[in-house]
Structures are given as C-alpha cells and as structure tokens.
Amino acid sequence: MEHAPSIDSRNGDGESDEADARAGKVPAGSQTLLRGLDVLEAVVAGPVSLSDLAGGLGLTRSTTHRLANALIERRYLAMAPGRGYQLGPKLLELGFRAQQQIDLVQVARSRLEHLADRSEDTVHLGVRDGDRALYLDKIAGRRRIAISSRVGDRHPLTATGLGKALLIDEPRAAWEALFAADQAGGAVPIAWDVWHDRMQGYVQVGRAFDLEENEDQIRCVAAPVRDVTGRVVGALSVSSAAQYMDDRRMEALTRDVVETARQVSEDLGWSGNSPR
Amino acid sequence: MEHAPSIDSRNGDGESDEADARAGKVPAGSQTLLRGLDVLEAVVAGPVSLSDLAGGLGLTRSTTHRLANALIERRYLAMAPGRGYQLGPKLLELGFRAQQQIDLVQVARSRLEHLADRSEDTVHLGVRDGDRALYLDKIAGRRRIAISSRVGDRHPLTATGLGKALLIDEPRAAWEALFAADQAGGAVPIAWDVWHDRMQGYVQVGRAFDLEENEDQIRCVAAPVRDVTGRVVGALSVSSAAQYMDDRRMEALTRDVVETARQVSEDLGWSGNSPR
DNA sequence: CTATACGTCCCACATCATGGGATGGTAGAG
DNA sequence: CTCTACCATCCCATGATGTGGGACGTATAG
C-alpha cells in the first residue's frame, strides 16, 4: 500500500475477494502490464502531460514516466514536442492488422448462438451487397417452423427486417430509390407513406421490424451492427412464425436484439460514438 | 536467471551494460509491460496457440498465459474458439483514435527539419488534392536561393518532383490523362515518351526527380509517403538551384530522401508491406 | 482405453517494479 | 537579470510483485 491513496489501493491484509469483486475477474499478477494499458488508454483523449497522466491514473510521476517511456520505445505512444503524449504509429499498424484478421461471421457466431438459445427462434446475420441484403449466417431456432432462408441468399432491403436495419442510417433519398425499385421488383405492395413512417420509428429506437412483408406469416426483429467508425456494416435479426411473434413479444425481443447487436459492434471496435 | 534458457536470458552477475547494448536503450524497469507487448505483437501473424506463443517468445506457459489473459480481459486480444489467440477489438478502437489524432504535417515536421539541415536545401511536404499537388509545409534551406513556392500552393502533378512522387503507384491510364491535361494547361512542353520512360525509372527506385520542368533552374528529388495500408498519402522533396543539383548529387540525395520518406511512413503506421 | 495437447490454476521464492526524491532544462513573472 | 514553477528524466533502497515449475481438468486423436 504505498501507491495511490485512491479508492482502489491494494489491500494486503483483508481478504483478496474484495479486489476480485471490484475488478470483475482480473486475477492479478500483471499489475505492470495493466497499468501500462491504463496509460495507453488515458492518452486516447488527446495530448496529455506526464503529471496529468500520473494524476489522472493515481500513479506517481516516476512510475508513469517509466511506463510511458516503455510505450514510446515500442512506438505505442509518441511524444508531441511541447504538447505531451499522443497515440503512436504502432497502434495504427495493429489496428489495421486486427481489421484484416476480424471476420464478421466468426466474431458474431457465439453471440448469435446465445441469442438463438434465449429466443428459441431463428437468427440471421447479413450485410448489404449492392441493392440487396446478403445473408451470411443462420442459426436455426428450436421451434418446428420453416424459415426458408439460406446462407448466401439475397433479399430486398426494404422488405425485410434485416434489410431495413441495414438502411437505418441512410438518407431519405436512398430509401425512396430502393423502395421504388423493390416495389417494382415484386415485393409485397405497401404505400410509401406507411413504409416511411415505420422506418422513421425504427430509426428512433435503433431496430427494425418485418411484419410479414417479405414472407407471409414470418415476422422478425432486426438491429444494425456498426464498425469502429460507426458505419453500419451489417445487421442481425430474430425471425419466427407470426403466431409466436405478437406485437408485445416483438417489443420484448427488441431489448435483446439491440443488445446483441451492440455487443457484436463492440467486438468490431465500436465504442458507442457514432457522431464524428 | 531462472527463465528462458534462450540466448537472451538475463545475467545476474556480469555487467548490466551487456543488456543495454543488446536492447538498444530500453532502460529496463518494465519487464512485464514489455513482455505483454511482445505477446501482443506475436499475435499479429494470426491465430496462435498458447504453447506456440510461449515457445516463440522464450517464456514459460504460465507467464504467457497470465499476460495473454490480462490482454484478453482488456480486449486487446480475443480467443478464437478452437484456433488460438487473435487481435482484439480494443486495437481497432485505438487504431482508429490514433488515426484521428495524427496529422501528417505535425508528424513529418521534425524529420523534414533534419533533412533540411543535412541537405542545406529547401524541403517540401505535399499531398494530392484532386488533379494538383497541394503543398502543406516548407522548410527553407540555408542557401541564398529563391524557391518561390509557398504553403498552400497547388502545382501540376506531372511537372513537379513532388507531384510525380505522388503518382508513383498510379496506373498508366491515370498518368496519361493527367499528363495531357498538364501539357494543355501550360506546363513546360515535353514528349510523352520521354516523360513516361523517366516515370518508369522513378517507379523502380521509389523516388522521382524534377529536372527544371516546373520552374527554370530548380531541380528536386522527391519520394512518396505511405500510410498503414500502403497507399501513397503524401510526398516530400528536396529542392535547390540547378547549380547545386548536378546528376551525381541528385543520386546521392536519393538515399536520404527515400529514407526520410520511409521514416515518415512508419510514423503513419506503415510497416513496409504494400502488397496486401 | 492411453496418449497428447490444450487452457487453467496454485504458490514459495527472489527478481523486478516501485515511488521518494534529486537533477537539469526551459519558460514566464517580477 | 533572478526567482519560481513545471517539465521530463534519472537514481536507488525496499518489499511488493511477477515468476515458472508443476498439478489439474478437459478435449481430440490414435
């Protein structure tokens, strides 16, 4: 107990459970590494001076300096002449490599499975491919109903829940063009005003519905997935027969679907700041 | 000395200078952090198993596991079900933030100053802006010659060294179009065949010359700057009066200019792999 | 079944990180 | 100019911290 007199100073006498409870489940044993990462993350906000860094983290200047120096040596941080510490080029490189390694389907898989387990319904994952929604993955539910979709299918954007989730950030002009094309292409007829009103509602909540518009007797709840820049790069949905999907259940599912989409987004680096 | 029996196991008896000499200048005092970063960087290559990680780094499985776990907890790493460790979402986030923080001019500044010091000539930094080269920074040399350029100037791409460096990765079709436009726009007349032959030579070496094509009596040596994806995002050049810039000196400067451009590229996250 | 390889967990020991404080440089106020 | 303030950097005695050998449970293969 010689460092920070802050709330979280380590306790050498009490039970170690306290620490475990506080930190979640970090089993300790890497204080230096974790503190180093703290330093790294404290610099995200922008150029900071050493003292500010140390103060903000509850560390001494010595310790902070040593950690920051190691990070500079490895190019994780850089020193801006008269302004303080900045994020370094190594992070650009690692970020880029991470982007190359990450595959949406693989990342989303386990979360989709959990969602399917909880809902007992069929879960889909898809991306936009030109003017269609391309289905990349499907986890079958436990109910004995036929969802005719298959991985690799392309469906209209404006007539499926998943498609509408993919369009949730698009401007009205894009909506209109796609809507007209889908209507002309044989989608279930619907008035533009009705469709547009519904979409605006979906935008507010951050999720979309499909009310038997694409396939009779099938309804679904869908939410968009975003990457690190906040852009919509995919969407996921829960689909079921209308008999299991009354309005109340769709509302109830919303929470779970949106939350799952948020988790997948976080796995893609999104941190919740779409503006900027 | 109980860890790794590898070549670099620490020595507790001899002089510590050995370690300093070997490691460059890391003054030690953050072993855990540095090892953690080693783990992180070892995962860049792709999914790796714990044992392979430990083996490759010369650490024990225990230590590696502890470090990797801490990195997973912080989302710097992720565990691919049956395939091993992967880079995690935090790196996507930090890489993105780093990209937002980094400014080409600011990053390049000190390196350009050193280059200007060594060459005693005027150094420019520029980017492509549509069909022109936009000059973002200028460090005046020590010679008493007039270089009429100013920060904010736009010059033809095909008639300046800096511009040609910016075009170094472009396909022949783009070269032809820009060349035709610049020639029509009043650039110093030159035959397409001659220009094209020279460009191909520049591409081989990774730098471009300006042989009094833009401004009479001014020659320059330029090299492209790349970002993390390998794309050319800027260029820098050394310019001087032709009397100081005979062919031999231009060749001699090439090394220094290319090296400086490489350093700036590394500051932008480039690691030397343009393919992929 | 046994064998191999995986990730995980534990704990005594001593190596390594710690932080108080000293140092040198730079900028601004008086 | 001096004095003060704040910066990053460096040093070193102390003990808290990370270490690695080895045990454990499980999964995949032979």
Side-chain angles (χ1 to χ4, degrees):
Chain A
M1 267 135 284
E2 68 292 37
H3 37 75
S6 66
I7 350 152
D8 87 339
S9 58
R10 304 295 191 276
N11 50 342
D13 38 296
E15 294 303 303
S16 64
D17 303 72
E18 285 186 42
D20 281 8
R22 169 178 46 75
K25 60 173 182 172
V26 183
S30 346
Q31 192 192 61
T32 310
L33 175 55
L34 293 173
R35 284 180 168 181
L37 300 180
D38 284 340
V39 169
L40 201 59
E41 288 167 35
V43 175
V44 169
V48 203
S49 79
L50 182 61
S51 327
D52 288 350
L53 253 184
L57 294 172
L59 302 175
T60 60
R61 284 209 324 289
S62 301
T63 300
T64 310
H65 177 259
R66 190 163 6 86
L67 297 173
N69 245 27
L71 290 169
I72 286 178
E73 206 67 45
R74 297 299 214 90
R75 302 167 48 87
Y76 286 78
L77 288 184
M79 179 103 99
R83 328 201 304 144
Y85 297 90
Q86 274 190 344
L87 298 180
K90 195 94 198 184
L91 292 172
L92 294 167
E93 192 186 327
L94 291 175
F96 179 61
R97 294 291 172 80
Q99 217 164 21
Q100 290 182 316
Q101 284 189 14
I102 278 186
D103 171 50
L104 176 60
V105 176
Q106 193 188 307
V107 159
R109 195 69 208 239
S110 65
R111 314 219 109 112
L112 298 186
E113 283 168 354
H114 286 140
L115 180 57
D117 267 5
R118 267 175 276 130
S119 66
E120 307 199 322
D121 286 319
T122 299
V123 172
H124 284 115
L125 175 72
V127 297
R128 180 166 175 177
D129 179 40
D131 291 349
R132 317 284 285 184
L134 169 61
Y135 283 56
L136 293 181
D137 204 0
K138 171 183 181 175
I139 288 95
R142 282 196 292 275
R143 301 194 211 275
R144 299 182 305 158
I145 53 162
I147 305 269
S148 61
S149 73
R150 298 216 309 225
V151 170
D153 275 357
R154 270 162 247 261
H155 292 282
L157 285 166
T158 65
T160 55
L162 203 145
K164 282 180 272 187
L166 289 170
L167 295 179
I168 214 157
D169 278 355
E170 293 292 323
R172 184 191 161 116
W175 284 355
E176 272 181 304
L178 289 166
F179 178 83
D182 285 346
Q183 286 291 311
V188 175
I190 182 176
W192 160 257
D193 286 345
V194 176
W195 190 91
H196 183 238
D197 278 355
R198 286 184 184 164
M199 271 304 271
Q200 287 186 310
Y202 300 159
V203 169
Q204 295 301 318
V205 192
R207 63 93 184 86
F209 287 155
D210 177 357
L211 303 166
E212 308 179 39
E213 292 151 54
N214 184 52
E215 197 172 345
D216 196 36
Q217 289 300 108
I218 300 290
R219 302 180 120 193
C220 91
V221 181
V225 170
R226 301 171 186 279
D227 72 1
V228 65
T229 67
R231 199 171 56 99
V232 173
V233 293
L236 55 90
S237 68
V238 175
S239 308
S240 194
Q243 67 192 99
Y244 300 114
M245 275 286 202
D246 58 23
D247 293 357
R248 186 180 319 157
R249 181 158 135 86
M250 292 185 84
E251 284 300 344
L253 264 178
T254 289
R255 182 193 189 81
D256 204 3
V257 170
V258 168
E259 171 62 14
T260 302
R262 194 190 57 77
Q263 288 173 347
V264 175
S265 298
E266 280 188 353
D267 290 343
L268 297 180
W270 193 58
S271 50
N273 327 3
S274 53
R276 299 216 88 249
Chain B
M1 22 198 316
E2 69 293 33
H3 38 75
S6 67
I7 349 153
D8 87 338
S9 60
R10 304 294 192 277
N11 49 343
D13 37 297
E15 295 301 307
S16 64
D17 304 70
E18 286 184 41
D20 280 11
R22 169 178 47 76
K25 60 173 183 172
V26 183
S30 348
Q31 194 192 59
T32 310
L33 174 55
L34 293 173
R35 284 180 168 180
L37 299 180
D38 285 340
V39 169
L40 200 60
E41 287 167 35
V43 175
V44 169
V48 204
S49 79
L50 182 62
S51 329
D52 287 351
L53 252 184
L57 294 172
L59 301 175
T60 60
R61 287 212 328 288
S62 303
T63 301
T64 311
H65 176 259
R66 189 163 8 86
L67 297 173
N69 245 26
L71 290 169
I72 286 178
E73 206 66 44
R74 297 298 214 94
R75 301 165 49 88
Y76 286 77
L77 288 184
M79 178 102 100
R83 330 202 304 144
Y85 296 89
Q86 276 189 342
L87 298 181
K90 195 93 198 187
L91 292 171
L92 293 167
E93 192 185 327
L94 291 175
F96 179 62
R97 294 291 172 80
Q99 218 164 20
Q100 290 182 316
Q101 284 190 14
I102 278 186
D103 170 51
L104 177 60
V105 176
Q106 193 187 307
V107 160
R109 195 68 207 241
S110 65
R111 313 219 109 111
L112 299 185
E113 283 168 354
H114 287 140
L115 180 58
D117 267 4
R118 269 175 275 131
S119 67
E120 306 200 322
D121 285 319
T122 299
V123 171
H124 285 116
L125 174 73
V127 296
R128 180 166 174 177
D129 179 40
D131 290 350
R132 317 284 286 183
L134 169 62
Y135 283 56
L136 293 182
D137 205 0
K138 172 182 182 176
I139 288 97
R142 282 197 292 276
R143 302 195 209 274
R144 298 182 307 158
I145 53 162
I147 305 268
S148 61
S149 74
R150 299 215 309 223
V151 170
D153 276 358
R154 271 163 246 261
H155 292 283
L157 285 166
T158 65
T160 54
L162 204 146
K164 281 181 272 188
L166 288 171
L167 295 179
I168 214 158
D169 278 355
E170 293 292 322
R172 184 191 160 117
W175 284 356
E176 272 180 305
L178 290 166
F179 179 84
D182 285 346
Q183 287 291 309
V188 175
I190 182 176
W192 160 255
D193 286 345
V194 175
W195 189 89
H196 183 239
D197 278 357
R198 284 183 184 164
M199 271 305 270
Q200 286 186 311
Y202 299 159
V203 169
Q204 296 301 317
V205 193
R207 62 94 184 85
F209 287 154
D210 177 358
L211 303 165
E212 308 179 38
E213 292 151 52
N214 184 52
E215 197 172 345
D216 196 36
Q217 290 299 109
I218 300 290
R219 301 180 122 193
C220 90
V221 181
V225 169
R226 299 171 187 280
D227 73 2
V228 66
T229 67
R231 199 170 56 98
V232 173
V233 293
L236 55 89
S237 69
V238 174
S239 309
S240 193
Q243 66 191 100
Y244 300 114
M245 275 284 202
D246 58 24
D247 293 356
R248 186 177 322 157
R249 179 157 138 85
M250 291 183 86
E251 284 301 343
L253 263 178
T254 288
R255 182 194 189 81
D256 204 3
V257 170
V258 168
E259 172 62 14
T260 302
R262 193 189 58 75
Q263 288 173 347
V264 175
S265 297
E266 281 188 352
D267 290 344
L268 297 180
W270 192 58
S271 51
N273 328 3
S274 50
R276 298 222 88 235

